Amino acid sequence: TQLLEQSPQFLSIQEGENLTVYCNSSSVFSSLQWYRQEPGEGPVLLVTVVTGGEVKKLKRLTFQFGDARKDSSLHITAAQTGDTGLYLCAGYFYNQGGKLIFGQGTELSVKP
Amino acid sequence: GAGVSQSPSNKVTEKGKDVELRCDPISGHTALYWYRQSLGQGLEFLIYFQGNSAPDKSGLPSDRFSAERTGGSVSTLTIQRTQQEDSAVYLCASSFSADSTGELFFGEGSRLTVL
């Protein structure tokens, strides 16, 4: 059974600070996605990474995929109160077809 | 509508009753997923469909849970003889196809409370 470990589970920071969220597995991902979820809504896709070593940027968010494709990180620069929410990593694994497995999530609170 | 639609949005039931949760995927999406989410937690995979077939139903917690999809569109998740531990938000998502890079589009969920 593939499992995703996501850390930290909770993060409370001041506006303007930087933060990093980690996601890793003992199995190789065929691809990995990051989603963001706000209260009362479903998760929304932020990015998909496929190639080992890949780095993608989305405004102040930087996503990295490990060379071995077993880990990923999400870095937010100069966090804003609007970044508050639940961040979820999710992975597809080889031989698992279209099954997408989610991590436990990181609850981010950015205070003014 | 343009997005994934789930009903009911809220359901309160008594322990031992059966409940049905419905999901209308985005038109043209062949893959449909069901997840369960407890308060502030990650998503627990339940089952996914490609067309009307369910290649992986390994996440269904017990034989009280079942799901079906008809006409490659609407799906129903049924929980029989509900228990208090079934209380959670049940999220449905659809995707253009069930491949290894597909983006999932989620509904707003059905919040189930078992008293």
Side-chain angles (χ1 to χ4, degrees), chain A residues 22-84:
Chain A
Y22 300 92
C23 178
N24 63 79
S25 173
S26 58
S27 300
V28 175
F29 297 106
S30 59
S31 71
L32 185 141
Q33 298 178 332
W34 286 91
Y35 288 79
R36 178 168 175 256
Q37 184 179 24
E38 299 197 44
E41 299 181 5
V44 176
L45 180 70
L46 295 173
V47 76
T48 299
V49 287
V50 179
T51 304
E54 186 173 6
V55 177
K56 285 191 172 180
K57 294 192 175 184
L58 185 65
K59 298 183 181 178
R60 293 176 294 100
L61 278 61
T62 301
F63 304 87
Q64 290 189 305
F65 199 21
D67 291 339
R69 299 167 67 187
K70 289 186 174 182
D71 60 275
S72 179
S73 64
L74 158 60
H75 182 79
I76 301 179
T77 302
Q80 300 176 354
T81 55
D83 295 329
T84 293

Side-chain angles (χ1 to χ4, degrees), chain B residues 61-80:
Chain B
S62 73
D63 58 9
R64 296 187 295 106
F65 288 72
S66 62
E68 65 174 12
R69 189 180 186 197
T70 55
S73 182
V74 171
S75 176
T76 302
L77 176 68
T78 301
I79 309 173
Q80 295 179 311

Side-chain angles (χ1 to χ4, degrees), chain A residues 40, chain B residues 8-12 21 39 88-90 108-113:
Chain B
S9 55
N10 277 287
K11 176 72 175 179
V12 180
L21 308 177
L39 188 63
V89 176
Y90 289 82
E108 294 187 341
S110 292
R111 180 177 298 278
L112 175 65
T113 303

